[in-house]
Amino acid sequence: MMPELGKYAVEVISAYVVSVALLGGIVWASLREGARVRRELRSVEARRDRADG
Amino acid sequence: MLNVSGLAVARGGVCVLSGVGFTLAPGQALILRGPNGVGKTTLLRTLAGLQPPLAGSVACGEDVIAYAGHADGVKPTLTVTENLTFWAQVFGGGGIGAAMAAFDLDGLADRAAQNLSAGQKRRLGLARMMVTGRPLWMFDEPTVSLDAASVGLFETAVRVHLAGGGAAIMATHIDLGLTDARVLDLSPFRPQPGGVRTGNAPTGDEAFL
Amino acid sequence: MQHKDSVPISRRMSLWEYANPKKFMQVSGAALPWVGGLAALCLAVGLIWGFFFTPDDFRQGSTVKIIYIHVPAALMGINAWLMMLVTSLIWLVRRHHVSALAAKAAAPVGLVMTVIALATGAIWGQPMWGTWWAWDPRLTSFLILGLFYLGYIALWAAIDNPDTAADLTSVLCLVGSVFALLSRYAVLFWNQGLHQGASLTVTQDNPISDIYYWPLITSISGFVLLFLTLVLVRTRTEIRRRRLQALLNRERMA
Amino acid sequence: MIALLRRDMAVATRAGGGFGLGLAFFLVVVVLVPLSVGPDTAVLSRIAPGILWLGALLACLLSLDRIFALDFEDGSLDLLATAPLPLEGAVAVKAFAHWLTTGLPLTLMAPVLGVLLNLPVPGYRWLLASLLLGTSALSVIGAFGAALTVGLRRGGLLLSLLVLPLYVPTLIFGAEVARRGAEGMPVATPLALLAGISLGCAALMPFAAAAALRVNLR
């Protein structure tokens, strides 16, 4: 059920696409970086716990 | 003149020395020793007030300390006289004659600093301390690139300074002829891994451990 | 009476407990799913409502639908900087690490919001004003705001020592805020000097009727919550990163 | 303070101090503009005030990193920070020395280059006045940027990125004075605003710059 966008369809849709892509990009980057750092931290903490005995 | 107690210092957010304490009276000299990376430079910079201590206190009057780091603070395009006169004026305008004589710079007076040898430049850097008129001199590796004769000049200058009621702290590896100087080995002040609380406001990494 | 007065004070003091990294991790970890979920809900409702179920404007046609992205993004572009200003001040005054890291975490989000506002503005401007870009005071100010974000992020990235970086970026944020404000006035002055009276108005200046108002409000709440979620996620990452570095430093010392 | 000013001037003007480089850069920019936009004198005289301001700004930007970087590298800054002279004062003096060796010569050179761009006759006076006021703000703001980036390797490009947005208000008002002057319009308002920015920067920026320097010296 696509709404009737008239002669400005390209503009409206591209605005939504660009924005959602940018928002998705920052969300994805934030989550990926978060997961990477969390993984590294886990491994270092595990190493420390082993060293502590 | 200088009263240090419970001092902890950090380099790059990591505590490198803790529990450092000593006092220095007029006429005394203190030599800091310890292996590379133990924190001699960091300690000197903290004492000079260039960086805040992690814990503890440094009790010292206003405008007492003159600090000479690894670098000489010499402008290559200015002559020896110009360089020295500048520092004398910045620190309240004493004469530079005594300093020039003490470090045997008279013959080089009008030479641009870029044409000096490394040792000569070092002598100029040390002569800077004399023109500051400050009672407490702090040197970081003062004798680097000095020959035996120049080391002798440096010793004499420090001895005259001490006799005149001054004091000096230096970080150095070689044995100077300052026989009555106290020696402080910094190795025991390294924080034990895992076991140190530095007291007041946690700085750097502390908050995250 | 005195006893009663002391209660709010102690409560206010306890607010700072959340600036402790461990406490912050606990609280933010518990809050994150809720905030994130609510953000997704508001965004979905606001944008779908706006895109599918609002009528066209009689003057602007369907381009009016861009408002549901453009206005919230622009709002967050500015408010993210304001938040960074506040957290920078808190870091400078009270030295709470979480505060400095939150400012660091917010900057890229703010930049993305600013870019979205500029991009949607350009796309909107093309049919309305007949040009992708006009040096309108509002657009220009946003472009300059984007430059400030870039500089701030670059300064964080360039400095190795995290405490030094926090101090310097905070100072830059304070000074930058003053100059951003000055630039805003300068740009207003400058543009009036160039084209007299030919100011391009954005629909915001017109009173918005209810039919556009409620989806817009939902969408704005969605953007606010999304910003909050992202800042929480990124601040948690920054805290973990600092902890990782601290542990590695300790290993090196041992 | 006078000693510091004299030393900085001497260091900047002696061989290797980079004194003439900014001026040469300014000249090159102004020569390149007609080559890129075409020789139409009407167009050139219309854009002359803006080009001259932009050229002066970029030339000023070139020499900013020298304000503190050299003193940082050779250890002078450590000793200056512990000197009786407050660091804020030292920053102000060094920024002033930078202006005397960069902003002032650029200002004096601008009318000469204005001839190349067919700057309208009434514009010269206001070009001089606006540059004289504005370049001082550029130097002080630049000193702040230099203080932020002093400890960084290859801080030059970052310095430009940080300082350019901060230059926006000065550039707008300064170029506006020159443009209105060239077109024979009243200049009082932008001139007053430019003066306000210059004075405000001169009064407040040394504090921000000194704070940044202290952080970098830690």
Side-chain angles (χ1 to χ4, degrees):
Chain A
M1 52 154 286
M2 199 64 191
E4 190 52 53
L5 293 174
K7 56 177 174 169
Y8 300 127
V10 178
E11 279 83 8
V12 177
I13 290 173
S14 62
Y16 272 76
V17 168
V18 166
S19 306
V20 170
L22 280 168
L23 287 179
I26 184 87
V27 169
W28 180 74
S30 305
L31 291 179
R32 204 189 56 148
E33 184 70 0
R36 191 179 66 79
V37 172
R38 190 169 359 186
R39 215 168 34 239
E40 278 176 32
L41 182 60
R42 283 228 182 94
S43 79
V44 171
E45 277 175 342
R47 197 159 70 209
R48 180 197 59 170
D49 292 343
R50 268 203 307 281
D52 287 356
Chain B
M1 180 175 291
L2 180 69
N3 197 344
V4 176
S5 63
L7 190 67
V9 299
R11 182 182 52 223
V14 182
C15 179
V16 287
L17 292 169
S18 69
V20 180
F22 59 84
T23 58
L24 201 64
Q28 289 185 327
L30 182 73
I31 294 176
L32 304 176
R33 286 202 197 278
N36 289 336
V38 76
K40 297 188 290 290
T41 300
T42 311
L43 178 60
L44 284 176
R45 292 183 73 83
T46 309
L47 293 177
L50 288 169
Q51 63 178 65
L54 209 52
S57 67
V58 179
C60 165
E62 277 275 298
D63 292 350
V64 167
I65 293 174
Y67 167 74
H70 288 291
D72 293 317
V74 164
K75 288 289 163 213
T77 47
L78 301 187
T79 66
V80 169
T81 316
E82 284 171 327
N83 267 302
L84 218 47
T85 309
F86 164 66
W87 287 113
Q89 285 171 341
V90 165
F91 279 87
I96 63 164
M100 294 282 280
F103 284 93
D104 196 19
L105 293 166
D106 286 320
L108 305 167
D110 293 323
R111 194 181 296 185
Q114 59 197 352
N115 300 327
L116 297 177
S117 75
Q120 287 167 336
K121 209 181 279 178
R122 192 73 204 160
R123 264 158 44 207
L124 176 55
L126 295 173
R128 238 174 11 158
M129 293 290 100
M130 285 191 73
V131 303
T132 59
R134 294 261 169 103
L136 176 53
W137 293 352
M138 300 208 305
F139 300 100
D140 197 353
E141 302 289 359
T143 54
V144 170
S145 68
L146 289 185
D147 58 18
S150 304
V151 172
L153 289 176
F154 172 63
E155 280 170 26
T156 314
V158 171
R159 215 172 267 132
V160 170
H161 180 61
L162 297 180
I169 301 179
M170 57 201 85
T172 178
H173 291 290
I174 69 154
D175 277 313
L176 294 169
L178 299 162
T179 43
D180 46 351
R182 284 187 292 150
V183 173
L184 182 67
D185 187 357
L186 292 177
S187 309
F189 296 106
R190 279 172 159 167
Q192 298 307 306
V196 190
R197 296 299 310 155
T198 42
N200 42 348
T203 309
D205 292 347
E206 293 268 316
F208 295 89
L209 287 172
Chain C
M1 285 303 278
Q2 251 184 343
H3 182 70
K4 261 185 185 170
D5 283 350
S6 69
V7 173
I9 291 172
S10 69
R11 230 179 242 158
R12 201 185 328 142
M13 297 294 283
S14 72
L15 186 67
W16 295 112
E17 274 181 26
Y18 298 106
N20 170 294
K22 275 200 191 99
K23 184 90 179 165
F24 178 84
M25 289 302 273
Q26 282 170 12
V27 174
S28 64
L32 200 50
W34 297 96
V35 181
L38 206 57
L41 185 72
C42 281
L43 265 184
V45 169
L47 291 184
I48 290 173
W49 188 354
F51 187 80
F52 292 101
F53 305 109
T54 54
D56 291 353
D57 184 67
F58 69 95
R59 213 154 40 87
Q60 309 208 21
S62 62
T63 57
V64 75
K65 291 178 190 296
I66 298 177
I67 202 174
Y68 306 111
I69 298 176
H70 181 73
V71 168
L75 216 59
M76 291 322 293
I78 294 172
N79 284 333
W81 186 273
L82 283 180
M83 179 221 133
M84 283 158 58
L85 175 62
V86 172
T87 47
S88 294
L89 271 172
I90 293 176
W91 159 252
L92 286 179
V93 175
R94 302 205 49 145
R95 316 296 292 178
H96 289 307
H97 286 88
V98 174
S99 189
L101 294 179
K104 182 186 182 184
V109 187
L111 178 62
V112 168
M113 295 293 181
T114 308
V115 171
I116 290 178
L118 284 173
T120 52
I123 294 170
W124 199 352
Q126 219 293 321
M128 288 303 106
W129 309 331
T131 170
W132 295 101
W133 183 262
W135 289 93
D136 167 81
R138 227 178 228 161
L139 286 160
T140 312
S141 306
F142 257 85
L143 194 60
I144 294 167
L145 181 65
L147 295 180
F148 274 109
Y149 274 121
L150 277 182
Y152 180 88
I153 295 170
L155 189 60
W156 261 110
I159 303 169
D160 296 330
N161 184 322
D163 280 356
T164 306
D167 279 331
L168 292 180
T169 51
S170 297
V171 173
L172 177 66
C173 187
L174 295 193
V175 173
S177 303
V178 175
F179 276 85
L181 213 60
L182 276 177
S183 304
R184 174 94 181 103
Y185 286 110
V187 164
L188 274 173
F189 179 85
W190 158 83
N191 189 284
Q192 281 170 0
L194 276 181
H195 346 237
Q196 260 95 2
S199 71
L200 306 154
T201 58
V202 179
T203 47
Q204 217 180 0
D205 298 343
N206 310 329
I208 303 176
S209 65
D210 277 0
I211 203 152
Y212 301 120
Y213 182 77
W214 288 110
L216 182 58
I217 288 296
T218 320
S219 180
I220 288 176
S221 347
F223 269 78
V224 171
L225 287 165
L226 176 67
F227 174 75
L228 197 62
T229 312
L230 283 172
V231 168
L232 284 181
V233 168
R234 299 180 65 90
T235 308
R236 285 165 67 79
T237 302
E238 294 299 335
I239 289 174
R240 288 207 178 95
R241 205 197 300 275
R242 279 299 299 273
R243 179 169 163 77
L244 179 67
Q245 201 53 52
L247 289 174
L248 289 177
N249 283 338
R250 173 175 280 191
E251 268 181 11
R252 212 182 55 214
M253 291 289 293
Chain D
M1 278 188 144
I2 292 163
L4 181 58
L5 183 66
R6 279 222 305 267
R7 181 193 72 149
D8 269 26
M9 300 274 298
V11 169
T13 48
R14 279 189 199 173
F19 173 68
L21 282 180
L23 292 176
F25 181 82
F26 192 19
L27 173 69
V28 172
V29 168
V30 169
V31 168
L32 288 182
V33 166
L35 298 179
S36 62
V37 302
D40 183 349
T41 48
V43 171
L44 286 179
S45 69
R46 212 165 73 80
I47 62 173
I51 296 299
L52 290 168
W53 248 92
L54 186 64
L57 186 146
L58 292 177
C60 182
L61 196 65
L62 268 188
S63 54
L64 285 180
D65 59 336
R66 302 182 69 91
I67 299 183
F68 296 119
L70 295 177
D71 278 350
F72 182 77
E73 281 160 19
D74 69 16
S76 302
L77 215 49
D78 289 339
L79 205 55
L80 265 182
T82 51
L85 178 67
L87 197 53
E88 286 79 5
V91 168
V93 169
K94 287 181 81 68
F96 184 55
H98 178 263
W99 180 74
L100 283 179
T101 54
T102 311
L104 191 58
L106 286 173
T107 304
L108 297 177
M109 190 172 163
V112 182
L113 297 179
V115 175
L116 290 178
L117 296 175
N118 291 80
L119 184 72
V121 177
Y124 285 92
R125 207 156 30 120
W126 298 115
L127 179 72
L128 262 177
S130 67
L131 278 174
L132 204 60
L133 267 174
T135 48
S136 65
L138 298 186
S139 284
V140 194
I141 298 170
F144 169 67
L148 279 181
T149 54
V150 73
L152 299 172
R153 300 166 302 275
R154 291 192 294 282
L157 208 57
L158 178 63
L159 174 61
S160 311
L161 178 60
L162 295 182
V163 164
L164 281 178
L166 298 177
Y167 275 175
V168 167
T170 317
L171 174 66
I172 287 180
F173 291 128
E176 187 75 4
V177 171
R179 196 183 61 80
R180 289 192 179 193
E183 291 174 9
M185 282 160 34
V187 296
T189 321
L191 195 62
L193 290 167
L194 179 66
I197 285 182
S198 295
L199 287 175
C201 284
L204 297 176
M205 290 304 269
F207 291 92
L213 268 189
R214 286 207 182 87
V215 171
N216 267 324
L217 284 177
R218 285 206 304 244

